[in-house]
Amino acid sequence: MDVIRWCYFLLLLQPLFFSPSHTQTDSFTSILISQNGLDFVKNLLVNKAIASIIPLQIPRIEKSVKIPFLGGIDVVVSNLTIYELDVASSYVKLGETGVVIVASGTTCNLSMNWHYSYASWIPPMEISDQGIASVQVEGMEIGLSLGLLSDKGGLKLSLSECGCHVKDISIELEGGASWFYQGMVNAFKDQIGASVESTISNKLSEGVSDLDSFLQSLPKEIPVDDKAALNVTFTTDPILRDSSITFEIDGLFTKAETNQVLRSSSLRNSAPSSICPGNSKMLGISLDEAVFNSAAALYYNAEFMQWIVDKVPGQDLLNTARWRFIIPQLYRKYPNQDMNLNISLSSPPVVKISEQYVGANVNADLVINVLEADQVIPVACISLEIRGSGALRVMGNNLGGSVKLEDFSMSLKWSNIGNLHLHLLQPIVWTVIQTVFVPYANDHLEKGFPLPIIHGFTLEKAEIICSSSEITVCSDIAYLDSSQHPRSGLSLPRSAPWINTLL
């Protein structure tokens, strides 16, 4: 059974022997890699793996040959080195629990030293000769069958089968009386081919082990700032379909350094088979609105959403003299006194996402303070219900955006200066929201938060699609080495040589 058929056979058998090793937990972010994305990653891994293993040393081969009238001849092939490897074609195939990667039409070129010796008994003496040779291997097939499961919030990669088959090999000797010994060295073809197969298979097995360590070392969270991080633990085994693989991660915001995740009361539907139209893009990242609401709840609980407004840009509003026709009793009680406005959210903002609209509802309390001598005197509190709409955009590997005010409503919560005519206050409150609150929010929203992208990869030609309760970033990806951009996002420890080459 050749390498390709054996790998497929193992892939089909895996569901019979492996059962899911996890308990399903909530997932609020899905990452789907389409066939285009799989091919991109496969080509990158193949090229990087080749670059990292060349030159590849093959163990020396020793052989004794019986020659009539001469007796035993000891032949040694040493310094056997693969210095060039070329993959004509390769592809990746997905099964229910594993991945098959096949490279076919592979050729490699080797160099080697050859040496022989034998003892002559008429007259008694040792006869030897040596030289170099070039070896060409053609039609080589290489196949890997891999299992991929979630393990304690990370990913575990296992090697189910690894094979390498050499179809044809030619040897050309140089040096010494090479023309005379060509036939003798040709007897080494099978052993050289077997050594090439064994060495490449062992090297691939080591690479899979290194890649498994790499995957298990993926960080469980991405820092956002000094208050928050993004929980990127895997919640279930990867979902493999014919032409895509989907990873389900938690995706919610967590307090930095505490790992306390703010859970959502809503549940997502099962992972879709396609989250980008036609799977034309390499990558699709789908985020439930619960991700944004967990961020809002975290910053709210961190008491990050409170502002003291003592100056309104372009306006001289914060003095009781400017309010004498709006709230006459305020001016009479505190004539010509400076003021400030204390705005604090009374509950976490609520983000809603639909096909046509990304919006947020914000409930806040606005306390009017009078500044008298060294005292801050609260005189009234107005409850605000603010409704805004948002626009999202991808900046590098970050998802950011902006918000604009749609409308708001007011109600009097309490007052120490009697009843207030809220309709007269509305223009002032609108100005405060537009010139203070909205710019402050946009300053933070424009920075965005990191999407779960492994360092070294960057999004290209990203598009954002809104649907019921979630947004999806559909994008192609490119690979940049460490010299082309700063390290950010999922920064990873580097251990194995070929992993170092990749990163």
Side-chain angles (χ1 to χ4, degrees):
M1 184 179 293
D2 62 27
V3 172
I4 297 177
R5 288 200 296 269
W6 178 249
C7 288
Y8 276 128
F9 179 68
L10 263 291
L11 186 64
L12 293 173
L13 283 184
Q14 282 182 16
L16 302 179
F17 298 102
F18 296 97
S19 58
S21 61
H22 70 280
T23 300
Q24 175 94 28
T25 56
D26 295 344
S27 164
F28 299 95
T29 298
S30 299
I31 304 171
L32 185 145
I33 304 176
S34 69
Q35 186 65 55
N36 289 338
L38 290 170
D39 290 338
F40 175 85
V41 174
K42 177 262 300 177
N43 290 336
L44 177 64
L45 289 174
V46 168
N47 292 335
K48 292 295 182 180
I50 291 174
S52 66
I53 67 174
I54 298 300
L56 180 60
Q57 197 77 26
I58 307 295
R60 63 184 279 149
I61 302 171
E62 299 180 7
K63 189 174 184 178
S64 294
V65 182
K66 291 288 186 179
I67 304 294
F69 306 109
L70 295 179
I73 297 180
D74 297 322
V75 185
V76 177
V77 172
S78 61
N79 199 25
L80 189 60
T81 305
I82 299 176
Y83 63 87
E84 185 178 12
L85 186 66
D86 180 64
V87 177
S89 64
S90 60
Y91 61 89
V92 57
K93 183 71 175 177
L94 302 176
E96 290 186 8
T97 60
V99 181
V100 163
I101 301 176
V102 174
S104 57
T106 303
T107 61
C108 64
N109 294 315
L110 302 88
S111 61
M112 72 177 194
N113 297 335
W114 60 270
H115 175 271
Y116 87 90
S117 64
Y118 70 91
S120 170
W121 54 277
I122 303 177
M125 61 181 295
E126 183 178 85
I127 300 174
S128 65
D129 199 358
Q130 63 183 3
I132 61 175
S134 57
V135 182
Q136 185 172 45
V137 176
E138 295 182 340
M140 186 164 60
E141 290 183 346
I142 304 171
L144 292 171
S145 179
L146 306 171
L148 189 60
L149 300 172
S150 65
D151 180 40
K152 300 177 182 177
L155 287 177
K156 183 171 182 59
L157 183 71
S158 59
L159 180 62
S160 304
E161 183 63 24
C162 175
C164 176
H165 174 68
V166 171
K167 182 179 180 181
D168 186 48
I169 184 169
S170 61
I171 304 173
E172 184 177 341
L173 271 60
E174 301 175 19
S178 56
W179 60 271
F180 185 75
Y181 306 112
Q182 180 74 50
M184 181 180 62
V185 175
N186 281 345
F188 278 77
K189 281 185 178 182
D190 289 344
Q191 284 182 278
I192 293 175
S195 293
V196 169
E197 292 172 349
S198 175
T199 302
I200 289 180
S201 295
N202 291 338
K203 199 69 177 179
L204 289 175
S205 180
E206 292 174 9
V208 171
S209 178
D210 293 338
L211 185 55
D212 175 49
S213 299
F214 166 82
L215 291 175
Q216 293 193 49
S217 68
L218 286 168
K220 301 297 190 297
E221 62 179 34
I222 306 175
V224 176
D225 54 29
D226 59 348
K227 293 180 175 61
L230 203 61
N231 185 336
V232 290
T233 55
F234 293 87
T235 60
T236 184
D237 291 339
I239 302 168
L240 287 80
R241 298 184 174 90
D242 288 342
S243 58
S244 68
I245 181 170
T246 302
F247 300 95
E248 294 287 329
I249 65 174
D250 180 285
L252 298 183
F253 278 69
T254 177
K255 288 185 179 179
E257 300 180 355
T258 67
N259 293 325
Q260 179 183 348
V261 178
L262 297 172
R263 309 309 303 177
S264 170
S265 59
S266 61
L267 295 176
R268 295 181 77 209
N269 296 325
S270 58
S273 59
S274 173
I275 58 178
C276 295
N279 278 344
S280 57
K281 295 289 187 178
M282 296 180 183
L283 183 71
I285 304 174
S286 178
L287 299 95
D288 190 84
E289 61 187 24
V291 173
F292 304 95
N293 286 323
S294 71
L298 186 147
Y299 288 109
Y300 172 80
N301 291 337
E303 298 181 350
F304 192 64
M305 298 183 176
Q306 183 173 2
W307 305 268
I308 301 294
V309 181
D310 54 14
K311 184 177 180 181
V312 178
Q315 304 284 337
D316 185 19
L317 293 176
L318 297 181
N319 187 285
T320 56
R322 295 297 302 270
W323 295 52
R324 63 185 182 274
F325 300 116
I326 301 170
I327 311 177
Q329 65 270 36
L330 173 64
Y331 179 71
R332 287 195 298 268
K333 191 172 183 178
Y334 304 101
N336 203 33
Q337 294 292 321
D338 288 332
M339 305 163 56
N340 70 29
L341 304 176
N342 185 341
I343 303 175
S344 61
L345 270 58
S346 54
S347 61
V350 177
V351 177
K352 289 292 183 182
I353 301 173
S354 66
E355 292 184 10
Q356 297 83 20
Y357 183 80
V358 177
N361 292 337
V362 180
N363 293 317
D365 289 337
L366 187 154
V367 177
I368 302 172
N369 295 319
V370 173
L371 308 179
E372 188 175 54
D374 295 331
Q375 289 184 306
V376 177
I377 305 172
V379 295
C381 178
I382 300 170
S383 292
L384 303 175
E385 184 176 339
I386 304 169
R387 289 170 290 279
S389 61
L392 298 170
R393 60 181 175 273
V394 176
M395 302 163 292
N397 287 350
N398 279 20
L399 179 65
S402 60
V403 66
K404 69 176 183 178
L405 177 63
E406 293 294 337
D407 59 33
F408 70 96
S409 58
M410 301 187 299
S411 62
L412 184 62
K413 192 169 185 178
W414 56 263
S415 173
N416 295 330
I417 53 174
N419 194 29
L420 306 181
H421 297 289
L422 294 181
H423 67 281
L424 297 177
L425 277 173
Q426 190 169 16
I428 293 179
V429 175
W430 180 280
T431 300
V432 170
I433 295 173
Q434 282 281 48
T435 59
V436 178
F437 181 79
V438 171
Y440 181 87
N442 284 336
D443 183 56
H444 288 79
L445 291 173
E446 285 174 358
K447 299 174 184 176
F449 64 89
L451 292 166
I453 304 294
I454 293 177
H455 170 76
F457 294 91
T458 184
L459 300 178
E460 281 194 343
K461 302 176 182 177
E463 302 172 357
I464 295 177
I465 299 174
C466 295
S467 58
S468 177
S469 78
E470 64 184 21
I471 69 104
T472 300
V473 177
C474 297
S475 178
D476 290 331
I477 53 177
Y479 174 75
L480 302 175
D481 61 38
S482 58
S483 65
Q484 292 175 283
H485 63 80
R487 185 171 294 272
S488 61
L490 284 171
S491 299
L492 305 166
R494 301 190 287 175
S495 54
W498 78 280
I499 293 294
N500 289 341
T501 304
L502 176 61
L503 295 180

